[in-house]
Amino acid sequence: MNSSLFKNDSSFDWLYPEHLQLISQKHWTPIRIARKAAKFLALPSSKVLDIGSGIGKFCLTAAFHYPLTSFYGVEQRHELVHFAEEAKNYVRLQNANFIHANFTQVNFESFDHFYFYNSFWENIDQNNKIDETIETSYNLYNYYTQFMFNMLNTRPSGTRLVTFQAEAGEIPANYMLVETSENSLLKMWIKA
């Protein structure tokens, strides 16, 4: 495996076609953020779900640095799952997996901890959509946000959550904020 791919964003983004590289800075988790988030979430033998995993950048970076933790990404765009799988095969990581589905179709009981880089935001920011392959709307933003809030609320005590560029109001009150960084854009939470 070529570990230099995980040193910086431009090295990693090389794994993907140019049209996905061009939107990396806006839509995919930066390598430095992925490392910080993974450090908090990577408890040995646990399963971490990335909600809206895109091209798999968080999962692959996390899996590379924490081989004793399994990282899963759920993504509704078939093309992005395809390229995430291709990148996974190229870097030969067995502890990263990708699910082609809308996150509302996932069995959350299968996962211990969660990562969320506000993948719902493109429903509001119509000028910066990834592509035209899925429906986006304010109503979907509200639906997805409420669905995730309710799901997180049902998780057991000790569940860990990392959010990047998400609103605190999207997180249930029983999650304690234990750490922030990156100008408070990166937040680490533990359910009480």
Side-chain angles (χ1 to χ4, degrees), residues 42-114:
L43 302 179
S45 301
S46 64
K47 293 180 178 180
V48 176
L49 179 66
D50 177 3
I51 299 171
S53 57
I55 59 170
K57 194 169 180 179
F58 166 76
C59 289
L60 294 172
T61 302
F64 172 76
H65 289 288
Y66 296 95
L68 299 180
T69 302
S70 296
F71 295 90
Y72 295 80
V74 59
E75 171 57 52
Q76 64 181 333
R77 286 178 167 93
H78 182 267
E79 177 191 35
L80 301 185
V81 173
H82 167 76
F83 285 117
E85 288 286 351
E86 281 199 349
K88 171 192 166 181
N89 292 335
Y90 182 82
V91 296
R92 298 186 194 123
L93 290 168
Q94 300 302 314
N95 60 324
N97 299 283
F98 300 98
I99 304 162
H100 177 223
N102 184 292
F103 90 103
T104 62
Q105 302 166 319
V106 171
N107 177 6
F108 294 99
E109 302 296 321
S110 300
F111 304 99
D112 305 300
H113 310 294
F114 301 91

Side-chain angles (χ1 to χ4, degrees), residues 110-179:
S110 300
F111 304 99
D112 305 300
H113 310 294
F114 301 91
Y115 174 72
F116 179 66
Y117 176 7
N118 199 345
S119 53
F120 309 153
W121 189 253
E122 75 171 317
N123 283 286
I124 293 175
D125 186 1
Q126 298 289 312
N127 294 323
N128 288 299
K129 295 189 332 185
I130 293 171
D131 58 30
E132 300 294 329
T133 62
I134 62 165
E135 179 184 347
T136 58
S137 70
Y138 286 92
N139 287 339
L140 277 174
Y141 175 83
N142 292 331
Y143 172 71
Y144 290 154
T145 300
Q146 189 62 51
F147 188 97
M148 188 177 80
F149 184 96
N150 293 339
M151 177 278 294
L152 290 171
N153 213 21
T154 66
R155 303 308 305 140
S157 177
T159 297
R160 290 180 176 222
L161 168 69
V162 173
T163 60
F164 183 53
Q165 295 189 12
E167 301 294 322
E170 298 172 346
I171 311 304
N174 52 9
Y175 279 76
M176 298 181 314
L177 182 62
V178 295
E179 186 179 339

